[in-house]
Amino acid sequence: MSAISAAERARLEQKFPEVFKTSFLKRHGLLVGLAVTVLYLVFCWFFFNVGPALQNGKWDRASIYVQDWYSWRAQPRLRFGEDGTVEAQWSSRGQYPANATIDWLTPRDDGSMTAVFNGEGNRLDISTTQVDVYVDGTAYPIEITADGAFAPENVPAEIVQDRNKVWVYYGFAGQAEIRDNQVAVQRRFFGWANFLYDPRSPLWGNDLFSTIGLIFSGDQVVEGKSNAQLVWEQWIGNQAWQHGDILIKLFQTLVMAFVGTLLATLVSFPLAFIAARNITQNKPANWFMKRFFDFIRSVDMLIWALFFTRGFGPGPIPGIAAIFFTDTGALGKVYAEALENVDDKQREGMKSVGASPTSVNRYGVVPQVLPVFVSQSLYFWESNTRSATVIGAVGAGGIGLKLLETMGTNSDWDKVAYMVLLILFVVFLFDNMSTAIRQRLIGGTGH
């Protein structure tokens, strides 16, 4: 291909200047944008002290919290009695029934006690004067005095002297804190303790498979009551996990999302016709209605929830009102924009046959926008299922408030994981439901 002459090039540059003389931003806009983004991220790194925050983060505590999501800790305090015996004292969250036989915590004939962690090679033999700490089968005697607990020299890394007490770490299996008057044990196990039945239940100790077998068994555990009814009552009334209360709170969250979205849809639907310029030929009315939508949607749903919680107290009513106000503004804006983009040919056809304004909108406008309206409402309903959890945490009721209360204990992270999984399941379910309905309405295939 031969090169063009200078005269031809000059002619083309004069005829098509936008091709040969592009602006700097058009030529280097992408590089400039990337450079500005990198500089902004560097600025944020130093302005918000991201480096020191990461360095000073309590990562060991975070790892414990993560472990608590999928495991549980038995935490007895082995107190030293004046008579030379060691007695296990459990908190109110005790995971075992009274006088239960615990395979890893064994009292001995002389009044001492043995706590087993990873097999016999990693255990504690506890008496009131000495605690023998076994690490990989080797014993290290911890002396107990009135001044505290003291480890010998040259102990492995699993044993740590901390002033007048000794810490013993067995990894995931747990740890122990040895003092002058007690040994605080934390024994960790995989799974969720007492998820099916609490220690006071007559069904305590049954796992899922034995429970299924019990349901179909002909022998009644409690005379006069079917095993299926007993299983349901004991599971829903589990005091440790509070399944009944959690499910009620979850249902409240779903009701908040559904009722709030439904009310917002019903209110924003007629108001959108006033806001649409091509439907209502009144500029002041259009302007006022659009500014009204802007106002109520510009206040975040969380702020509305705080406002209504102050007025109505905690419960689902503030949550419903917060969703209703926020979504009325958002849906009203979306609906109005959809109305302003309808095909006017159908409206003109209705007008040409002398139809009333109501009939024009009913038969010339609504059929065009109804799939869009329903699709948007379903999407907002799906989104509000998640939002209702967040606004519940500020006092609007539902599972969000229950989740916040559970996190506040700083010890029920397994229950937090349980509620998070319930929320994820519900969101997944509602997402698929709304997607299927939208596809039917708009005729999409989707995947």
Side-chain angles (χ1 to χ4, degrees):
M1 183 176 180
S2 60
I4 62 175
S5 64
E8 182 64 15
R9 178 182 177 84
R11 186 185 68 80
L12 292 174
E13 287 182 355
Q14 185 177 4
K15 187 175 182 180
F16 306 104
E18 69 279 0
V19 176
F20 292 91
K21 296 181 180 180
T22 57
S23 65
F24 175 81
L25 286 178
K26 286 185 177 180
R27 285 182 284 124
H28 306 288
L30 179 60
L31 292 177
V32 170
L34 291 174
V36 170
T37 302
V38 170
L39 289 175
Y40 178 72
L41 292 176
V42 171
F43 167 77
C44 292
W45 178 275
F46 291 102
F47 184 80
F48 294 107
N49 294 322
V50 176
L54 294 176
Q55 185 177 0
N56 298 328
K58 301 185 185 323
W59 300 107
D60 55 340
R61 183 178 300 178
S63 65
I64 292 174
Y65 290 161
V66 171
Q67 288 179 344
D68 287 345
W69 278 54
Y70 60 85
S71 63
W72 63 280
R73 290 178 290 171
Q75 303 181 76
R77 291 185 177 272
L78 309 182
R79 297 192 178 276
F80 302 157
E82 294 182 357
D83 57 353
T85 60
V86 180
E87 182 179 356
Q89 183 181 53
W90 296 86
S91 67
S92 59
R93 299 180 69 249
Q95 293 94 349
Y96 298 96
N99 303 319
T101 300
I102 304 174
D103 56 358
W104 61 272
L105 190 64
T106 308
R108 298 189 293 191
D109 295 337
D110 59 357
S112 62
M113 192 167 292
T114 297
V116 179
F117 289 82
N118 289 327
E120 289 296 323
N122 293 282
R123 71 178 194 272
L124 303 179
D125 289 341
I126 305 164
S127 68
T128 57
T129 58
Q130 180 175 303
V131 176
D132 291 330
V133 178
Y134 285 81
V135 178
D136 296 331
T138 303
Y140 299 90
I142 307 298
E143 184 182 3
I144 306 298
T145 69
D147 296 326
F150 300 95
E153 296 181 355
N154 300 322
V155 294
E158 288 83 354
I159 302 174
V160 178
Q161 182 75 51
D162 180 14
R163 290 170 293 184
N164 60 345
K165 58 185 177 182
V166 176
W167 287 91
V168 182
Y169 298 97
Y170 285 116
F172 177 83
Q175 63 185 39
E177 179 190 11
I178 305 174
R179 297 189 178 186
D180 59 336
N181 61 348
Q182 67 178 2
V183 177
V185 174
Q186 293 187 23
R187 181 71 167 88
R188 187 181 294 278
F189 300 89
F190 182 79
W192 293 342
N194 304 325
F195 181 75
L196 293 178
Y197 316 107
D198 62 48
R200 288 165 290 189
S201 170
L203 299 179
W204 183 85
N206 286 280
D207 58 16
L208 178 61
F209 296 105
S210 61
T211 296
I212 295 174
L214 193 65
I215 291 174
F216 294 99
S217 172
D219 299 329
Q220 293 182 342
V221 177
V222 176
E223 188 175 354
K225 181 181 293 187
S226 68
N227 289 344
Q229 181 184 355
L230 180 65
V231 166
W232 170 255
E233 290 178 352
Q234 295 299 316
W235 183 81
I236 206 73
N238 188 327
Q239 295 297 315
W241 283 85
Q242 302 176 341
H243 297 299
D245 188 44
I246 289 175
L247 292 178
I248 290 174
K249 296 295 192 297
L250 180 62
F251 181 72
Q252 284 183 355
T253 299
L254 299 180
V255 169
M256 286 163 51
F258 177 75
V259 176
T261 308
L262 178 62
L263 292 176
T265 300
L266 295 176
V267 172
S268 59
F269 180 83
L271 296 182
F273 282 82
I274 302 175
R277 293 188 300 269
N278 58 333
I279 304 297
T280 302
Q281 305 292 331
N282 188 316
K283 289 186 178 180
N286 300 149
W287 183 90
F288 174 80
M289 192 53 61
K290 287 186 176 181
R291 299 296 77 77
F292 171 72
F293 289 153
D294 290 341
F295 168 71
I296 59 175
R297 72 185 176 87
S298 64
V299 180
D300 189 77
M301 188 181 296
L302 195 62
I303 306 301
W304 282 123
L306 289 170
F307 174 79
F308 288 114
T309 301
R310 294 292 184 182
F312 297 100
I317 299 300
I320 292 172
I323 294 173
F324 164 60
F325 268 61
T326 306
D327 281 7
T328 297
L331 286 173
K333 176 181 172 59
V334 173
Y335 289 175
E337 291 178 349
L339 289 170
E340 290 177 346
N341 288 280
V342 297
D343 186 2
D344 283 336
K345 292 180 180 179
Q346 296 186 31
R347 296 179 64 225
E348 295 299 329
M350 293 294 299
K351 289 179 181 179
S352 66
V353 297
S356 65
T358 302
S359 297
V360 170
N361 291 328
R362 166 65 181 86
Y363 298 102
V365 176
V366 172
Q368 296 186 62
V369 298
L370 188 59
V372 177
F373 282 15
V374 177
S375 176
Q376 288 297 322
S377 293
L378 287 171
Y379 172 76
F380 273 70
W381 173 47
E382 168 202 327
S383 177
N384 288 333
T385 305
R386 298 186 295 269
S387 301
T389 302
V390 178
I391 63 176
V394 300
I399 199 170
L401 184 59
K402 186 72 175 179
L403 187 64
L404 186 66
E405 292 173 353
T406 305
M407 293 176 68
T409 65
N410 212 27
S411 58
D412 293 323
W413 293 101
D414 47 359
K415 197 181 296 182
V416 171
Y418 171 47
M419 284 186 276
V420 168
L421 289 176
L422 280 178
I423 294 168
L424 289 175
F425 171 76
V426 169
V427 169
F428 173 78
L429 179 65
F430 278 66
D431 173 59
N432 282 273
M433 287 174 55
S434 64
T435 300
I437 296 173
R438 286 200 303 268
Q439 289 173 0
R440 281 183 172 273
L441 288 172
I442 63 179
T445 55
H447 295 283

